[in-house]
Amino acid sequence: MATTQGGTSARTPRTKPPRRARGPAPPAATPAATHDLDLLRRMLLIRRFEERCVELYSAAAIRGFVHLCIGEEAVAVGVHQALGEADAVVSTYREHGHALARGVPPEAVMAEMYGKATGCSHGRGGSMHLFDADRRFYGGNAIVGGGLPLAAGLALADRMRGESGVTCCFFGDGAFAEGEFHETANLAALWGLPVLFVCENNLYAMGTALTREHAQTDLAMRAASYGMAAWAVDGMDVHAVEKAARGAVESIRAGSGPHFLEMRTYRFRAHSMYDPDRYRPKGEVEEWKRHDPVTGLAEGMRKAGFLDTDAQEALDHEVTVAIDRAVREAEQAPEEPAEDLLLHVTGQREEVPS
């Protein structure tokens, strides 16, 4: 599957019908094949959503800061395989993929990108502040490391209410250097909180390389110093991510306290759409693209007989149609009315009986 972005207009439909099936019958729908196909569909949805955001931003259809997770799809999808509806998720400003993997509809995410009232945050948050309380997705956070204390609070609240939920907190290697991580890790380990710390180590905190930021770059080893289970995972392999996440969540549910997963991954795009990306060599980016999690899974499925050309084209068509629909609905969605500007900002006065 291609990882480059097309040059079509943001408003031009790019769908085409899949080729007619020919030759041998489609791959058998074994449990393993069905699961892999679901993983591929979820990762492909994130990839195509992010690629469309590039087009929309370039066409000035969406504005503000936009941080893309192209290349990191396996982390979002793999981790969410281990989470249930009762679990909570706290994210970062690079959270489109996390929201989609959590089950927030593409229409609601895209409308939020447009700042429309039908967005998951009613158009008030935009790219960096996606939020869906019904799905226990407690949003992106524009502050580096800002979600970490919130995750500890959510986990503590669940435990005090006698609930069995796990709180999963995503953050980057840059946030690992912030005081919020160390304070939160210490309290979570001290109190045995049910938190899964997922560090998306993509080797760069904005434009600062990991080796220029951390004297010791083995983040999992450093996290283990707080007395929690911690290990590194190949974040470009969705199967490895899922296996690690399932093991960690199962252990947390059993009462073993917080766990830390260092997902060693890479973003193929710059830090944000504003970023000229001059701080890393182009050869490094191309080398990491050889480990593309989406194409890697598809190739593995082909070798296993789980996927053929027709099925792959049909899947790509299905995802593209879904994103076309999300863009179309976002463009037609209403703006929030001016009379609602103070809604959810100030408390509503209650009438006191005389």
Side-chain angles (χ1 to χ4, degrees):
M1 298 177 189
T3 59
T4 57
Q5 287 73 47
T8 57
S9 165
R11 297 174 182 268
T12 303
R14 304 188 304 121
T15 60
K16 63 178 182 178
R19 297 193 314 172
R20 292 186 127 194
R22 57 181 180 274
T30 64
T34 300
H35 182 63
D36 277 3
L37 189 63
D38 182 60
L39 294 176
L40 183 60
R41 178 183 289 106
R42 293 172 183 271
M43 286 202 296
L44 191 59
L45 176 65
I46 296 171
R47 175 66 59 88
R48 296 292 181 255
F49 185 95
E50 296 290 67
E51 290 174 343
R52 188 62 64 86
C53 285
V54 173
E55 298 176 10
L56 294 168
Y57 187 90
S58 300
I62 58 177
R63 308 290 181 88
F65 288 96
V66 176
H67 305 81
L68 305 172
C69 68
I70 295 175
E72 300 182 3
E73 296 88 351
V75 176
V77 172
V79 168
H80 275 88
Q81 297 304 301
L83 301 175
E85 293 182 0
D87 299 322
V89 176
V90 179
S91 187
T92 71
Y93 47 73
R94 196 183 309 280
E95 88 277 38
H96 307 162
H98 301 151
L100 292 170
R102 184 61 180 169
V104 182
E107 294 84 356
V109 179
M110 188 62 76
E112 191 60 38
M113 300 293 289
Y114 273 78
K116 297 297 186 68
T118 55
C120 57
S121 299
H122 304 293
R124 299 186 177 200
S127 173
M128 293 194 289
H129 299 95
L130 306 178
F131 191 92
D132 191 327
D134 290 340
R135 292 177 173 82
R136 298 208 75 193
F137 184 78
Y138 295 112
N141 198 311
I143 301 172
V144 176
L148 286 155
L150 301 179
L154 287 165
L156 178 60
D158 278 346
R159 191 172 69 180
M160 292 176 70
R161 288 194 296 258
E163 298 174 358
S164 60
V166 169
T167 297
C168 175
C169 184
F170 291 96
F171 57 99
D173 50 286
F176 193 98
E178 296 285 332
E180 289 95 334
F181 169 73
H182 299 280
E183 293 166 348
T184 302
N186 179 64
L187 280 179
L190 183 65
W191 295 343
L193 298 180
V195 181
L196 174 61
F197 295 105
V198 180
C199 179
E200 295 178 307
N201 180 5
N202 59 29
L203 303 182
Y204 291 92
M206 294 184 69
T208 303
L210 183 73
T211 53
R212 296 177 65 88
E213 179 189 11
H214 295 278
Q216 171 54 260
T217 58
D218 189 332
L219 304 186
M221 182 182 71
R222 291 173 62 191
S225 70
Y226 285 102
M228 70 178 78
W231 64 97
V233 182
D234 180 359
M236 307 302 275
D237 181 345
V238 68
H239 291 138
V241 173
E242 179 182 359
K243 180 179 179 181
R246 287 189 183 278
V249 169
E250 181 179 346
S251 182
I252 294 170
R253 291 198 201 284
S256 64
H259 282 51
F260 177 97
L261 299 179
E262 179 192 346
M263 298 295 177
R264 295 180 177 174
T265 184
Y266 198 83
R267 51 176 167 80
F268 297 162
R269 302 280 308 189
H271 167 71
S272 71
M273 291 296 296
Y274 284 105
D275 182 6
D277 200 11
R278 296 174 181 169
Y279 45 82
R280 57 185 185 176
K282 300 302 179 186
E284 177 183 288
V285 179
E286 294 306 314
E287 176 62 26
W288 274 93
K289 285 183 178 180
R290 293 175 53 192
H291 305 284
D292 187 316
V294 180
T295 56
L297 177 60
E299 290 170 2
M301 292 174 65
R302 282 178 172 276
K303 291 179 182 178
F306 293 171
L307 188 70
D308 59 20
T309 300
D310 294 317
Q312 188 169 352
E313 289 187 354
L315 182 60
D316 207 345
H317 174 72
E318 172 192 329
V319 167
T320 304
V321 167
I323 295 174
D324 282 342
R325 181 173 59 249
V327 172
R328 186 169 58 251
E329 291 187 10
E331 290 176 341
Q332 297 171 355
E335 304 280 353
E336 185 177 29
E339 55 268 25
D340 287 351
L341 288 180
L342 294 182
L343 190 64
H344 309 305
V345 175
T346 61
Q348 301 300 310
R349 176 177 296 180
E350 295 184 4
E351 293 295 332
V352 179
S354 56

